[in-house]
Amino acid sequence: MQKIKTFLWFDNQAEEAANHYISVFGGDSKVLNTTYYNEAAPGETGKVMTVGFRLVGQEHIALNGGPQFPFTEAISLSVDCASQEEVDTLWSRLTEGGGEEGQCGWLKDKYGLSRQLVPQGLNEALSDPDPAKAERAMKAMPGMRKLDIDALRNA
């Protein structure tokens, strides 16, 4: 059992979002359980209340809680990417359908949830033993939306 799970508050798209994320990340990703509002709960009886789901081995819970608490950039999910190809694919899939590209590898998906796609090698480029190289990599980032690891390494 995973001790800490990310709990995501949606207006009314919990099930749709969970299924979308599962389709984007694939691998060890699936719906684990679904609960429904009943007469004792504050939501509409019979409608989805929560969806427990796994994304690449990490468990999350999505709630249809209403519009009171929309997502903000104050919290985001960091996604380690093994290659530039993975960054490119996830970037495209997560911004499609109304998502927003941010700066420095950040994006919002169509549900408003923020993520940072982190390519393998980013930390090494930013902490290069040569301070001038690390500084050039850091200066290159603000000009990027989706991170380009080769461009950062070559900065």
Side-chain angles (χ1 to χ4, degrees):
M1 181 172 76
Q2 183 176 311
K3 190 165 190 80
I4 299 173
K5 298 175 187 173
T6 303
F7 194 94
L8 304 168
W9 181 302
F10 293 88
D11 179 1
N12 59 7
Q13 314 96 330
E15 187 172 35
E16 175 188 322
N19 287 321
H20 176 66
Y21 299 150
I22 288 165
S23 76
V24 168
F25 288 96
D28 184 18
S29 302
K30 67 179 186 176
V31 170
L32 302 172
N33 57 65
T34 304
T35 63
Y36 298 88
Y37 283 104
N38 59 36
E39 292 179 16
E44 186 180 337
T45 299
K47 295 287 185 179
V48 171
M49 182 170 69
T50 65
V51 178
F53 61 104
R54 181 181 308 129
L55 290 181
V56 197
Q58 296 294 308
E59 292 185 24
H60 305 270
I61 302 167
L63 167 73
N64 282 328
Q68 302 91 316
F69 303 111
F71 294 120
T72 73
E73 293 84 355
I75 189 157
S76 66
L77 302 178
S78 180
V79 181
D80 290 331
C81 298
S83 66
Q84 187 66 46
E85 180 183 358
E86 184 179 14
V87 170
D88 296 345
T89 299
L90 290 176
W91 188 272
S92 175
R93 298 282 315 275
L94 290 167
T95 58
E96 74 185 357
E100 298 175 23
E101 295 185 356
Q103 232 178 320
C104 301
W106 293 72
L107 62 83
K108 278 191 207 178
D109 65 30
K110 64 184 176 181
Y111 305 103
L113 183 59
S114 294
R115 285 190 177 74
Q116 184 180 21
L117 302 185
V118 181
Q120 187 173 19
L122 176 63
N123 290 331
E124 291 81 2
L126 297 177
S127 61
D128 192 286
D130 179 344
K133 284 184 179 179
E135 186 176 325
R136 286 193 304 270
M138 182 64 78
K139 284 182 178 179
M141 279 183 58
M144 297 180 184
R145 292 210 176 272
K146 175 179 61 176
L147 293 180
D148 181 333
I149 193 59
D150 286 338
L152 290 168
R153 286 182 181 140
N154 295 327

